[in-house]
Amino acid sequence: MSEATADYIVVGGGAGGCAVAGRLTEDPDTTVTVLEAGNDGDSWVVKTPFAVVAMLPTKLNNWAFETLPQPGLNNRRGYQPRGKTLGGSSAINAMVYIRGHRWDYDHWASLGNTGWSFDEVLPYFKRSENNASLGGALHGQSGPLRVSDLRSDNPFQQLYLEAAKQAGFKINHDFNGEDQEGVGIYQVTQHEGERWSAARGYLHPHMGKRPNLHVETGCHVTRILFEGKRAVGVEFIQHGQRRSLRARREILLAAGALQTPQILMLSGVGDGKALQAMGIPVVHDLPGVGQNLQDHPDFVFKYRSRSTDLVGISLGGSAHLAKEAWRYKTQRRGMITSNAAEGGGFLKTDPGLPAPDIQLHFVMAMIDDHARKLHLGHGYSCHVCLLRPKSIGELSLANTDPLAAPLINPRFLEHPDDIETLLKGFKLTRQLMDAPALASMRTSDFQTAKVKTDDDIRAALRQYSDTVYHPVGTCKMGIDAMAVVDPELRVHGLMGLRVVDASIMPTLIGGNTNAPTMMIGEKAADLLRQQPA
């Protein structure tokens, strides 16, 4: 077993890990080693937005987990794609740049998480952001994360907006502005038509240039090493060899909401009785580890269309795609720059709500089962997801093998209120899809043509819903008995160990979780810099 040292070890090169490592190594006297299980995320597959069609439904740069059978989804197993490459899920996602609603962060603060209100986290969002078109008090234009308008030039964007107007929804040109509610076109984490992952923003520019930044790929962390209650290092497997690395200051867990709690439990941190039952020596009894799993349940409307402006399988579509590939090569514009989910929306199922509780993703393809089921022809889709579900799940160990996938149980739609709210969201979305501008473009309704009554809708929701890829909460931040980290992200009851990823979110935010996770990394770097050496 070989051993080396660093001031900080970052376990996981996803959005939070990239952000905290990039910021900490701005100080040349601070050494950081990032351990990532996947590759370096610096390939054309990652950089080309359209290549998401190859990554999301496969194991390319993707852990491709599955859930336990979900009673709320007719006992189906859900799909849980997670990025397995430097940049994490920001390297395989739909690049949608959303922060969430002000209410979400103020709610975190109200739970005892001092320093996490919207006004207190906004400077970190702005510090991260480099927005090519939006400025003012709510946007940053000099950060490492490139954010831009789409360059796909797809005419269906305007059809989508026109349908929204026809259906009576207001148009929103900035979902990260003063008001989140409305329908519009998403901004994306791209620069000049290329994907801009967290790694491209925070790590790639400095790798090989900052001698205090070390990035190791192909590293599967198996456990955290402790001396008493202090985390002092990590053990990992790289290229078939078992290695260890010691930290002079702290270990920063950033393996994501599904694998950070797994690493903690394998290391003896978690529910003491459950760990003892599996034969794992207990380092610290912390019952909240793996609990509080929350994710956005999502239903997808699917429609067939003859338009080759939409991604699909046909001779005409192949010819159009070839032209678009040349356009991408020469101009970095057109279909190949598409994030697929170009349109969006945040809607309220009850006008009295403090924030929208439904989110839409309008997709320029007919996506069926996360694109794992392909159909001839062309079409479009519209996702509708429930932003703040009441169903709370958990993550646990399948066994003591660190290379085995954890047991993922989001408990989708088990709380009765969730399916009733999603039913309302279904109806709102159908109003938009049935508006003339879009209805005139479809040749058939793929799955919901015969879905008429409320009972029909409930049945369809249970038969076809799944995740929209936003698991959080399994190492929640807080001050109650089930909290795993405190408001400074330190693991309760231990020293030298923090969590810097979406698992610390005490509740789901109203939107995509990529940008908020980078914000967590930005804030973590400040918290660490404030600590005495």
Side-chain angles (χ1 to χ4, degrees):
M1 182 183 290
S2 60
E3 188 170 287
T5 58
D7 290 327
Y8 295 100
I9 301 169
V10 178
V11 178
C18 286
V20 71
R23 290 303 190 190
L24 286 176
T25 53
E26 290 173 346
D27 177 357
D29 295 327
T30 299
T31 60
V32 176
T33 296
V34 179
L35 302 177
E36 166 56 39
N39 58 38
D40 65 7
D42 190 18
S43 70
W44 72 268
V45 177
V46 172
K47 293 176 181 177
T48 307
F50 192 81
V52 71
V53 302
M55 295 188 287
L56 184 61
T58 70
K59 290 192 175 182
L60 178 62
N61 298 332
N62 184 0
W63 290 96
F65 295 129
E66 286 192 331
T67 70
L68 294 174
Q70 297 293 287
L73 304 183
N74 295 342
N75 288 314
R76 290 181 293 116
R77 288 182 179 270
Y79 185 46
Q80 293 274 303
R82 294 283 89 197
K84 187 182 182 182
T85 182
L86 206 60
S89 295
S90 74
I92 71 169
N93 67 2
M95 296 159 272
V96 174
Y97 183 75
I98 293 291
R99 296 172 176 172
H101 197 276
R102 169 184 287 272
W103 183 90
D104 297 310
Y105 302 100
D106 290 344
H107 179 57
W108 290 5
S110 76
L111 297 174
N113 295 299
T114 304
W116 292 87
S117 70
F118 180 76
D119 287 340
E120 289 167 307
V121 301
L122 177 60
Y124 296 107
F125 279 116
K126 292 174 66 176
R127 183 184 298 178
S128 172
E129 181 186 15
N130 188 335
N131 200 303
S133 59
L134 297 176
L138 294 176
H139 289 284
Q141 294 184 307
S142 59
L145 180 66
R146 297 280 189 163
V147 178
S148 69
D149 297 334
L150 281 157
R151 295 160 63 101
S152 68
D153 305 321
N154 196 310
F156 270 77
Q157 289 184 14
Q158 294 307 311
L159 293 173
Y160 175 70
L161 295 178
E162 182 59 30
K165 294 175 186 174
Q166 292 169 345
F169 298 111
K170 71 177 182 179
I171 303 302
N172 190 335
H173 298 290
D174 181 8
F175 292 126
N176 299 300
E178 290 288 351
D179 184 12
Q180 188 189 57
E181 191 174 3
V183 172
I185 305 302
Y186 284 125
Q187 282 202 308
V188 289
T189 51
Q190 292 184 9
H191 178 55
E192 295 181 346
E194 292 189 358
R195 178 192 292 273
W196 203 262
S197 70
R200 289 194 79 178
Y202 286 97
L203 291 189
H204 288 163
H206 313 303
M207 291 166 60
K209 297 178 182 178
R210 289 181 181 171
N212 59 331
L213 171 63
H214 304 276
V215 178
E216 296 281 346
T217 56
C219 300
H220 194 120
V221 171
T222 56
R223 65 185 177 115
I224 303 159
L225 303 174
F226 290 92
E227 291 179 357
K229 295 288 187 177
R230 174 172 286 279
V232 296
V234 298
E235 186 178 279
F236 59 98
I237 298 170
Q238 185 182 36
H239 309 311
Q241 301 295 313
R242 191 173 296 275
R243 300 180 57 198
S244 68
L245 181 65
R246 289 182 70 87
R248 284 185 287 268
R249 299 187 68 176
E250 295 195 31
I251 311 293
L252 310 178
L253 272 177
L258 304 183
Q259 286 158 294
T260 283
Q262 180 186 23
I263 293 169
L264 282 171
M265 288 185 279
L266 289 168
S267 306
V269 180
D271 181 84
K273 291 181 180 178
L275 296 178
Q276 287 175 333
M278 299 195 80
I280 298 173
V282 178
V283 172
H284 186 56
D285 185 3
L286 200 57
V289 175
Q291 300 301 303
N292 194 49
L293 174 60
Q294 299 171 52
D295 196 356
H296 289 142
D298 179 77
F299 177 86
V300 187
F301 288 86
K302 311 171 188 74
Y303 302 95
R304 294 188 183 277
S305 174
R306 293 190 178 90
S307 175
T308 56
D309 288 314
L310 302 164
V311 178
I313 303 171
S314 72
L315 288 176
S318 298
H320 182 65
L321 188 60
K323 293 178 182 177
E324 290 296 300
W326 178 253
R327 189 176 176 210
Y328 178 75
K329 182 178 181 180
T330 57
Q331 303 174 32
R332 287 296 192 265
R333 295 197 73 90
M335 181 181 284
I336 306 300
T337 71
S338 178
N339 70 325
E342 298 190 16
F346 290 88
L347 307 176
K348 293 180 179 180
T349 60
D350 179 340
L353 292 171
D357 59 339
I358 291 292
Q359 183 179 2
L360 309 183
H361 293 85
F362 181 72
V363 181
M364 306 302 178
M366 196 181 78
I367 302 296
D368 189 14
D369 190 21
H370 312 276
R372 296 185 297 177
K373 295 176 182 175
L374 301 178
H375 304 277
L376 291 174
H378 297 259
Y380 56 92
S381 313
C382 192
H383 294 245
V384 52
C385 80
L386 179 61
L387 288 176
R388 296 176 189 84
K390 294 182 180 179
S391 300
I392 306 295
E394 66 280 335
L395 181 136
S396 56
L397 296 177
N399 51 50
T400 58
D401 180 2
L403 302 183
L407 301 179
I408 304 164
N409 188 13
R411 300 190 180 276
F412 285 130
L413 302 185
E414 287 193 23
H415 194 289
D417 289 354
D418 286 353
I419 197 161
E420 296 308 308
T421 303
L422 197 51
L423 183 152
K424 296 175 184 177
F426 181 105
K427 291 179 177 179
L428 286 172
T429 309
R430 177 176 261 176
Q431 290 176 30
L432 176 57
M433 294 297 101
D434 285 348
L438 283 175
S440 64
M441 298 302 297
R442 73 186 185 217
T443 56
S444 66
D445 180 334
F446 183 69
Q447 270 175 345
T448 50
K450 295 182 180 179
V451 176
K452 304 294 185 183
T453 68
D454 284 1
D455 283 343
D456 291 342
I457 296 171
R458 292 185 187 97
L461 293 174
R462 294 202 184 279
Q463 183 60 34
Y464 299 113
S465 295
D466 200 359
T467 180
V468 76
Y469 322 125
H470 301 149
V472 308
T474 48
C475 295
K476 82 167 186 174
M477 174 174 60
I479 56 175
D480 62 281
M482 294 301 288
V484 175
V485 301
D486 68 14
E488 294 192 357
L489 307 182
R490 299 171 296 199
V491 177
H492 285 296
L494 297 172
M495 295 174 286
L497 184 61
R498 300 190 201 221
V499 178
V500 188
D501 60 31
S503 67
I504 68 101
M505 296 185 184
T507 59
L508 257 172
I509 59 112
N512 311 71
T513 51
N514 184 40
T517 305
M518 281 181 248
M519 175 276 290
I520 290 167
E522 288 270 7
K523 184 171 171 66
D526 259 12
L527 292 170
L528 289 161
R529 282 190 286 247
Q530 293 163 9
Q531 297 297 306

PDB file of all heavy atoms in Angstrom, residues 492-511:
ATOM      1  N   HIS A 492     -21.008  15.801  11.989  1.00  0.00           N
ATOM      2  CA  HIS A 492     -21.267  15.865  13.437  1.00  0.00           C
ATOM      3  C   HIS A 492     -20.497  14.777  14.179  1.00  0.00           C
ATOM      4  O   HIS A 492     -20.515  13.607  13.789  1.00  0.00           O
ATOM      5  CB  HIS A 492     -22.762  15.692  13.716  1.00  0.00           C
ATOM      6  CG  HIS A 492     -23.587  16.900  13.398  1.00  0.00           C
ATOM      7  ND1 HIS A 492     -23.444  18.104  14.058  1.00  0.00           N
ATOM      8  CD2 HIS A 492     -24.592  17.087  12.497  1.00  0.00           C
ATOM      9  CE1 HIS A 492     -24.319  18.974  13.579  1.00  0.00           C
ATOM     10  NE2 HIS A 492     -25.025  18.389  12.625  1.00  0.00           N
ATOM     11  N   GLY A 493     -19.822  15.186  15.235  1.00  0.00           N
ATOM     12  CA  GLY A 493     -19.160  14.234  16.111  1.00  0.00           C
ATOM     13  C   GLY A 493     -17.786  13.782  15.656  1.00  0.00           C
ATOM     14  O   GLY A 493     -17.135  12.996  16.347  1.00  0.00           O
ATOM     15  N   LEU A 494     -17.340  14.251  14.492  1.00  0.00           N
ATOM     16  CA  LEU A 494     -16.035  13.858  13.972  1.00  0.00           C
ATOM     17  C   LEU A 494     -15.203  15.092  13.660  1.00  0.00           C
ATOM     18  O   LEU A 494     -15.730  16.203  13.533  1.00  0.00           O
ATOM     19  CB  LEU A 494     -16.199  13.005  12.706  1.00  0.00           C
ATOM     20  CG  LEU A 494     -16.926  11.664  12.900  1.00  0.00           C
ATOM     21  CD1 LEU A 494     -17.193  11.019  11.556  1.00  0.00           C
ATOM     22  CD2 LEU A 494     -16.106  10.734  13.798  1.00  0.00           C
ATOM     23  N   MET A 495     -13.918  14.899  13.503  1.00  0.00           N
ATOM     24  CA  MET A 495     -13.010  15.987  13.155  1.00  0.00           C
ATOM     25  C   MET A 495     -12.327  15.684  11.818  1.00  0.00           C
ATOM     26  O   MET A 495     -12.120  14.522  11.467  1.00  0.00           O
ATOM     27  CB  MET A 495     -11.958  16.171  14.254  1.00  0.00           C
ATOM     28  CG  MET A 495     -12.525  16.631  15.587  1.00  0.00           C
ATOM     29  SD  MET A 495     -11.253  16.678  16.899  1.00  0.00           S
ATOM     30  CE  MET A 495     -11.048  14.926  17.220  1.00  0.00           C
ATOM     31  N   GLY A 496     -12.003  16.749  11.104  1.00  0.00           N
ATOM     32  CA  GLY A 496     -11.261  16.593   9.862  1.00  0.00           C
ATOM     33  C   GLY A 496     -12.057  16.030   8.712  1.00  0.00           C
ATOM     34  O   GLY A 496     -11.475  15.520   7.755  1.00  0.00           O
ATOM     35  N   LEU A 497     -13.380  16.120   8.769  1.00  0.00           N
ATOM     36  CA  LEU A 497     -14.229  15.515   7.738  1.00  0.00           C
ATOM     37  C   LEU A 497     -15.423  16.404   7.437  1.00  0.00           C
ATOM     38  O   LEU A 497     -16.193  16.758   8.343  1.00  0.00           O
ATOM     39  CB  LEU A 497     -14.705  14.133   8.206  1.00  0.00           C
ATOM     40  CG  LEU A 497     -15.526  13.309   7.227  1.00  0.00           C
ATOM     41  CD1 LEU A 497     -14.752  12.998   5.959  1.00  0.00           C
ATOM     42  CD2 LEU A 497     -16.004  12.019   7.887  1.00  0.00           C
ATOM     43  N   ARG A 498     -15.568  16.778   6.174  1.00  0.00           N
ATOM     44  CA  ARG A 498     -16.735  17.557   5.732  1.00  0.00           C
ATOM     45  C   ARG A 498     -17.344  16.906   4.491  1.00  0.00           C
ATOM     46  O   ARG A 498     -16.698  16.099   3.809  1.00  0.00           O
ATOM     47  CB  ARG A 498     -16.352  19.001   5.399  1.00  0.00           C
ATOM     48  CG  ARG A 498     -15.770  19.765   6.554  1.00  0.00           C
ATOM     49  CD  ARG A 498     -15.631  21.236   6.269  1.00  0.00           C
ATOM     50  NE  ARG A 498     -14.640  21.819   7.161  1.00  0.00           N
ATOM     51  CZ  ARG A 498     -14.736  22.989   7.759  1.00  0.00           C
ATOM     52  NH1 ARG A 498     -15.804  23.741   7.567  1.00  0.00           N
ATOM     53  NH2 ARG A 498     -13.779  23.432   8.549  1.00  0.00           N
ATOM     54  N   VAL A 499     -18.572  17.318   4.202  1.00  0.00           N
ATOM     55  CA  VAL A 499     -19.258  16.868   2.993  1.00  0.00           C
ATOM     56  C   VAL A 499     -19.531  18.085   2.126  1.00  0.00           C
ATOM     57  O   VAL A 499     -20.012  19.114   2.616  1.00  0.00           O
ATOM     58  CB  VAL A 499     -20.565  16.128   3.332  1.00  0.00           C
ATOM     59  CG1 VAL A 499     -21.290  15.719   2.055  1.00  0.00           C
ATOM     60  CG2 VAL A 499     -20.275  14.902   4.200  1.00  0.00           C
ATOM     61  N   VAL A 500     -19.208  17.967   0.841  1.00  0.00           N
ATOM     62  CA  VAL A 500     -19.322  19.105  -0.083  1.00  0.00           C
ATOM     63  C   VAL A 500     -20.012  18.635  -1.362  1.00  0.00           C
ATOM     64  O   VAL A 500     -19.404  18.543  -2.435  1.00  0.00           O
ATOM     65  CB  VAL A 500     -17.931  19.697  -0.398  1.00  0.00           C
ATOM     66  CG1 VAL A 500     -18.076  20.985  -1.198  1.00  0.00           C
ATOM     67  CG2 VAL A 500     -17.133  19.969   0.871  1.00  0.00           C
ATOM     68  N   ASP A 501     -21.267  18.283  -1.263  1.00  0.00           N
ATOM     69  CA  ASP A 501     -22.030  17.877  -2.444  1.00  0.00           C
ATOM     70  C   ASP A 501     -23.522  17.981  -2.148  1.00  0.00           C
ATOM     71  O   ASP A 501     -23.923  18.465  -1.083  1.00  0.00           O
ATOM     72  CB  ASP A 501     -21.631  16.471  -2.917  1.00  0.00           C
ATOM     73  CG  ASP A 501     -21.852  15.388  -1.860  1.00  0.00           C
ATOM     74  OD1 ASP A 501     -22.787  15.520  -1.047  1.00  0.00           O
ATOM     75  OD2 ASP A 501     -21.092  14.408  -1.841  1.00  0.00           O
ATOM     76  N   ALA A 502     -24.355  17.524  -3.069  1.00  0.00           N
ATOM     77  CA  ALA A 502     -25.801  17.683  -2.946  1.00  0.00           C
ATOM     78  C   ALA A 502     -26.396  16.876  -1.806  1.00  0.00           C
ATOM     79  O   ALA A 502     -27.548  17.108  -1.419  1.00  0.00           O
ATOM     80  CB  ALA A 502     -26.488  17.301  -4.260  1.00  0.00           C
ATOM     81  N   SER A 503     -25.636  15.946  -1.241  1.00  0.00           N
ATOM     82  CA  SER A 503     -26.179  15.168  -0.124  1.00  0.00           C
ATOM     83  C   SER A 503     -26.422  16.027   1.110  1.00  0.00           C
ATOM     84  O   SER A 503     -27.201  15.638   1.979  1.00  0.00           O
ATOM     85  CB  SER A 503     -25.250  14.004   0.228  1.00  0.00           C
ATOM     86  OG  SER A 503     -24.027  14.459   0.756  1.00  0.00           O
ATOM     87  N   ILE A 504     -25.811  17.217   1.188  1.00  0.00           N
ATOM     88  CA  ILE A 504     -26.003  18.042   2.392  1.00  0.00           C
ATOM     89  C   ILE A 504     -27.311  18.832   2.351  1.00  0.00           C
ATOM     90  O   ILE A 504     -27.717  19.396   3.363  1.00  0.00           O
ATOM     91  CB  ILE A 504     -24.813  19.007   2.610  1.00  0.00           C
ATOM     92  CG1 ILE A 504     -24.742  20.085   1.522  1.00  0.00           C
ATOM     93  CG2 ILE A 504     -23.520  18.246   2.717  1.00  0.00           C
ATOM     94  CD1 ILE A 504     -25.268  21.425   1.894  1.00  0.00           C
ATOM     95  N   MET A 505     -27.978  18.886   1.203  1.00  0.00           N
ATOM     96  CA  MET A 505     -29.208  19.676   1.105  1.00  0.00           C
ATOM     97  C   MET A 505     -30.262  19.115   2.060  1.00  0.00           C
ATOM     98  O   MET A 505     -30.655  17.956   1.933  1.00  0.00           O
ATOM     99  CB  MET A 505     -29.752  19.657  -0.319  1.00  0.00           C
ATOM    100  CG  MET A 505     -28.847  20.309  -1.342  1.00  0.00           C
ATOM    101  SD  MET A 505     -29.640  20.360  -2.978  1.00  0.00           S
ATOM    102  CE  MET A 505     -28.306  21.041  -3.974  1.00  0.00           C
ATOM    103  N   PRO A 506     -30.758  19.909   3.001  1.00  0.00           N
ATOM    104  CA  PRO A 506     -31.768  19.382   3.928  1.00  0.00           C
ATOM    105  C   PRO A 506     -33.103  19.110   3.250  1.00  0.00           C
ATOM    106  O   PRO A 506     -33.838  18.214   3.658  1.00  0.00           O
ATOM    107  CB  PRO A 506     -31.889  20.481   4.989  1.00  0.00           C
ATOM    108  CG  PRO A 506     -31.360  21.718   4.349  1.00  0.00           C
ATOM    109  CD  PRO A 506     -30.346  21.274   3.343  1.00  0.00           C
ATOM    110  N   THR A 507     -33.402  19.904   2.224  1.00  0.00           N
ATOM    111  CA  THR A 507     -34.611  19.690   1.423  1.00  0.00           C
ATOM    112  C   THR A 507     -34.259  19.926  -0.033  1.00  0.00           C
ATOM    113  O   THR A 507     -33.298  20.625  -0.360  1.00  0.00           O
ATOM    114  CB  THR A 507     -35.749  20.653   1.826  1.00  0.00           C
ATOM    115  OG1 THR A 507     -35.294  22.009   1.655  1.00  0.00           O
ATOM    116  CG2 THR A 507     -36.176  20.445   3.263  1.00  0.00           C
ATOM    117  N   LEU A 508     -35.060  19.347  -0.919  1.00  0.00           N
ATOM    118  CA  LEU A 508     -34.875  19.560  -2.354  1.00  0.00           C
ATOM    119  C   LEU A 508     -35.110  21.022  -2.705  1.00  0.00           C
ATOM    120  O   LEU A 508     -36.015  21.660  -2.183  1.00  0.00           O
ATOM    121  CB  LEU A 508     -35.863  18.712  -3.149  1.00  0.00           C
ATOM    122  CG  LEU A 508     -35.335  17.451  -3.811  1.00  0.00           C
ATOM    123  CD1 LEU A 508     -36.490  16.647  -4.372  1.00  0.00           C
ATOM    124  CD2 LEU A 508     -34.333  17.759  -4.909  1.00  0.00           C
ATOM    125  N   ILE A 509     -34.299  21.524  -3.620  1.00  0.00           N
ATOM    126  CA  ILE A 509     -34.543  22.878  -4.102  1.00  0.00           C
ATOM    127  C   ILE A 509     -35.489  22.817  -5.304  1.00  0.00           C
ATOM    128  O   ILE A 509     -35.646  21.783  -5.941  1.00  0.00           O
ATOM    129  CB  ILE A 509     -33.227  23.597  -4.470  1.00  0.00           C
ATOM    130  CG1 ILE A 509     -32.477  22.829  -5.552  1.00  0.00           C
ATOM    131  CG2 ILE A 509     -32.359  23.758  -3.247  1.00  0.00           C
ATOM    132  CD1 ILE A 509     -32.414  23.510  -6.850  1.00  0.00           C
ATOM    133  N   GLY A 510     -36.116  23.939  -5.598  1.00  0.00           N
ATOM    134  CA  GLY A 510     -37.077  24.008  -6.693  1.00  0.00           C
ATOM    135  C   GLY A 510     -36.393  24.199  -8.029  1.00  0.00           C
ATOM    136  O   GLY A 510     -36.458  25.270  -8.621  1.00  0.00           O
ATOM    137  N   GLY A 511     -35.721  23.146  -8.510  1.00  0.00           N
ATOM    138  CA  GLY A 511     -35.050  23.226  -9.795  1.00  0.00           C
ATOM    139  C   GLY A 511     -33.923  22.227  -9.905  1.00  0.00           C
ATOM    140  O   GLY A 511     -33.736  21.348  -9.051  1.00  0.00           O
TER     141      GLY A 511
END
